[in-house]
Amino acid sequence: MTDHLFDDLLAANRTYAENYALQEFDGVAHAGVAMVTCMDSRLDPLRLLGLAPGDAKIFRNPGGRVTDAALEAIVLGVHLLGVDRVLVVPHTRCAVATNTAAELRDRVSASAGVDASWQVFHVVDDQEAALREDVRKVRTHPLIPETVAIGGFIYDVDTGLLDRRV
Ligand SMILES: [Zn+2]
């Protein structure tokens, strides 16, 4: 490509690769951990658990919801990649838990300059209830055995602390 839109990132990547040391890793979650969490840029999923690359499977989406794709990732993690603890981690001040779908559509429409009323936004009315339901989805999945520990936590973006709720 001849545009230079990613040059800064590619330069940083070359620096990163100079000290790259994960080539011997096998893709297994070495700490046995999987986390479903939000895409929010305030969350650093590995570091907030004291983990490092190679330790955990991280699945992110808006809100940190246990979607079908998240369940697919957890099933693969549990059976093929060494996962035996699953954390579901939504967070405080999350955009999808503090806006209605109509508000998000209005804001996106305003930004895009075109109608966004057709775009689905999976907002959360009650974060605690949604977390309980998401943990239940993992717990009752027929391919996720009882031996796997599952916890529901809310991450506080103002303190950096996890609070177990389920
Ligand atoms: Zn969020």
Side-chain angles (χ1 to χ4, degrees), residues 38 40 63 91 94-95:
C38 185
D40 193 291
H91 65 95
C94 183

Side-chain angles (χ1 to χ4, degrees), residues 16-17 19-27 30 46 52-55:
Y16 170 78
N19 296 305
Y20 186 65
L22 291 174
Q23 53 273 87
E24 304 301 324
F25 273 54
D26 47 17
H30 284 265
L46 291 175
D55 284 342

Side-chain angles (χ1 to χ4, degrees), residues 75 78-79 140-145:
V75 167
V78 165
H79 290 285
T140 60
H141 193 288
L143 295 177
I144 298 173

Side-chain angles (χ1 to χ4, degrees), residues 4-5 35 41 46 50 97 113 122 129 148 157 164:
H4 299 284
L5 300 174
M35 181 195 290
S41 50
L46 291 175
H122 295 94
V148 175
V157 296
R164 186 164 187 185

Side-chain angles (χ1 to χ4, degrees), residues 48-134:
L48 76 85
L49 295 176
L51 301 177
D55 284 342
K57 298 295 169 188
I58 309 296
F59 186 93
R60 305 185 75 159
N61 59 32
R65 303 304 312 280
V66 176
T67 59
D68 287 347
L71 287 169
E72 178 182 342
I74 294 167
V75 167
L76 286 170
V78 165
H79 290 285
L80 305 182
L81 300 165
V83 169
D84 57 13
R85 285 186 292 175
V86 177
L87 297 87
V88 182
V89 185
H91 65 95
T92 58
R93 297 204 277 131
C94 183
V96 302
T98 55
N99 288 271
T100 66
E103 285 167 343
L104 288 177
R105 280 194 295 270
D106 287 348
R107 292 172 63 183
V108 170
S109 289
S111 171
V114 296
D115 172 53
S117 61
W118 52 271
Q119 176 67 55
V120 174
F121 294 105
H122 295 94
V123 296
V124 175
D125 290 331
D126 180 338
Q127 200 171 42
E128 296 271 349
L131 180 57
R132 284 194 299 274
E133 172 61 14
D134 281 352

Side-chain angles (χ1 to χ4, degrees), residues 130-166:
L131 180 57
R132 284 194 299 274
E133 172 61 14
D134 281 352
V135 167
R136 190 195 63 78
K137 279 187 193 173
V138 183
R139 184 74 285 165
T140 60
H141 193 288
L143 295 177
I144 298 173
E146 289 290 325
T147 51
V148 175
I150 303 163
F153 306 78
I154 293 186
Y155 178 75
D156 187 328
V157 296
D158 293 300
T159 65
L161 289 170
L162 286 172
D163 183 18
R164 186 164 187 185
R165 302 296 176 89
V166 186

